[in-house]
Amino acid sequence: MNVKRSRGDFIFDTINLAICFLIFLIVAYPLLYVISASFSSPLAVLQGRMVLWPVEPRITAYLDVFKHQDIMMGYKNSLILVVLGTSVNLVLTFFGAYILSRKDFFGRTFLTMAFAFTMFFSGGMIPTYLVVKSVGLLNTRWALILPGAISMYNMIVMRTFFQNSIPDSLIESAEVDGASQIKILFYIVLPLSNAIIAVISLFYGVAHWNQYFQALLYLSNRSLYTLQLILREILLLSQVQDLVDTTGFADQVLQGEGIKYALIIVASVPVMAAYPFIQRHFVKGVMLGAIKG
């Protein structure tokens, strides 16, 4: 059945489309600019001749980046950190959120408040470093995983999902049929939680992929450097060469400008490539896991 649209509906839709298009331009232009700049002549970028599409296309910047043998080592370490760290995060967050979502769990209010306390207060950088050092985690991947093994924000989102999306009657029916809590968790709750798991995995995975400051603090063993540390090192090396090599100063500046944009793309491509595969779950999970009043 066709419903006649009023003039007000048409105006409302037009304004919405205009706003959405404007937001799209604001988000898309910087991304397209960086991609184009990484393939353009650095001189054209510095002179402002490159506006949207590559000018004097070349892949020199990427060749300069991948000349460094440590790039693949950084990729490997970052991928290991993402897989291992996200797995630990998901397991702890899933179990913690499920327990806090159960109304019959004694002390859940106190535990929720205790966990929430950590969202506003922490020991600080130096005490945390001393704790990591005292338990022997320095120069290990666990130093980047265990101190932040659970994000209370993510746990609250997942707990709210369990409370709002999994009916109590379903769990009560399983209990009446004799199912244990473990069976309820793995055969009922887990299969119904694909959407929120995809969302939380993305949150944790992106955080681990961008791991930089903690890695800078806790890692001195070069073989464990994450991609972000390797890219930082390459960029700093390029800047130092700009200052040291006075004979080819202009060429070094141009090379550093191209490397800068190429590094951004190299660090961003894996996350951008993974997002389309979980976009459907991401949108659904964010809506279902939203905190309702």
Side-chain angles (χ1 to χ4, degrees):
M1 184 174 94
N2 294 328
V3 178
K4 186 176 180 181
R5 297 175 58 80
S6 65
R7 182 180 179 184
D9 292 335
F10 177 77
I11 295 175
F12 178 78
D13 290 345
T14 303
I15 294 175
N16 272 343
L17 287 174
I19 293 175
C20 289
F21 183 71
L22 178 62
I23 294 174
F24 170 76
L25 290 180
I26 294 174
V27 174
Y29 178 73
L31 178 61
L32 184 59
Y33 180 88
V34 171
I35 294 174
S36 298
S38 68
F39 287 103
S40 296
S41 164
L43 183 60
V45 176
L46 288 175
Q47 291 177 342
R49 290 190 284 122
M50 197 225 74
V51 179
L52 189 62
W53 304 113
V55 176
E56 302 175 16
R58 61 188 65 186
I59 59 172
T60 308
Y62 290 95
L63 294 178
D64 290 336
V65 169
F66 283 100
K67 260 196 254 180
H68 295 264
Q69 299 178 354
D70 292 337
I71 285 286
M72 299 313 298
M73 180 188 71
Y75 260 110
K76 182 192 74 172
N77 289 332
S78 289
L79 287 174
I80 292 175
L81 180 62
V82 168
V83 174
L84 182 60
T86 303
S87 299
V88 172
N89 297 144
L90 274 180
V91 170
L92 296 179
T93 303
F94 182 80
F95 281 106
Y98 176 70
I99 291 173
L100 295 181
S101 70
R102 295 302 307 271
K103 296 179 181 178
D104 56 350
F105 177 68
F106 177 76
R108 73 168 187 151
T109 302
F110 171 77
L111 286 178
T112 302
M113 293 177 62
F115 290 150
F117 182 83
T118 63
M119 297 177 65
F120 306 101
F121 302 95
S122 66
M125 181 179 66
I126 295 177
T128 303
Y129 179 88
L130 293 176
V131 170
V132 170
K133 181 180 179 181
S134 65
V135 297
L137 294 180
L138 283 183
N139 276 322
T140 67
R141 292 189 177 95
W142 295 109
L144 309 181
I145 297 173
L146 296 182
I150 293 182
S151 165
M152 187 56 196
Y153 173 80
N154 292 339
M155 185 184 290
I156 290 175
V157 171
M158 187 171 280
R159 184 203 64 173
T160 306
F161 172 86
F162 291 151
Q163 290 176 337
N164 296 332
S165 303
I166 300 179
D168 292 335
S169 57
L170 184 61
I171 296 178
E172 291 171 359
S173 298
E175 290 175 342
V176 169
D177 291 337
S180 65
Q181 293 298 326
I182 295 296
K183 286 187 176 180
I184 292 174
L185 183 63
F186 285 102
Y187 291 99
I188 296 179
V189 177
L190 184 59
L192 296 176
S193 305
N194 290 335
I196 195 65
I197 288 176
V199 174
I200 301 302
S201 296
L202 182 65
F203 288 165
Y204 280 128
V206 170
H208 284 302
W209 182 260
N210 293 328
Q211 189 77 262
Y212 162 70
F213 187 66
Q214 287 80 2
L216 189 63
L217 284 178
Y218 303 135
L219 299 181
S220 58
N221 184 351
R222 187 175 178 78
S223 64
L224 295 176
Y225 275 16
T226 62
L227 179 64
Q228 307 303 328
L229 284 184
I230 298 296
L231 298 184
R232 169 184 174 271
E233 190 176 79
I234 295 173
L235 188 58
L236 289 179
L237 180 62
S238 173
Q239 293 174 349
V240 169
Q241 287 176 344
D242 291 349
L243 299 176
V244 174
D245 189 357
T246 56
T247 59
F249 183 76
D251 292 337
Q252 293 291 340
V253 170
L254 293 178
Q255 182 185 31
E257 188 71 13
I259 286 177
K260 178 174 65 176
Y261 292 109
L263 290 177
I264 296 174
I265 301 302
V266 167
S268 304
V269 162
V271 175
M272 294 171 61
Y275 180 76
F277 295 99
I278 60 175
Q279 181 180 12
R280 174 171 56 90
H281 295 296
F282 181 79
V283 175
K284 182 180 178 183
V286 167
M287 296 302 295
L288 292 176
I291 299 176
K292 299 180 180 179

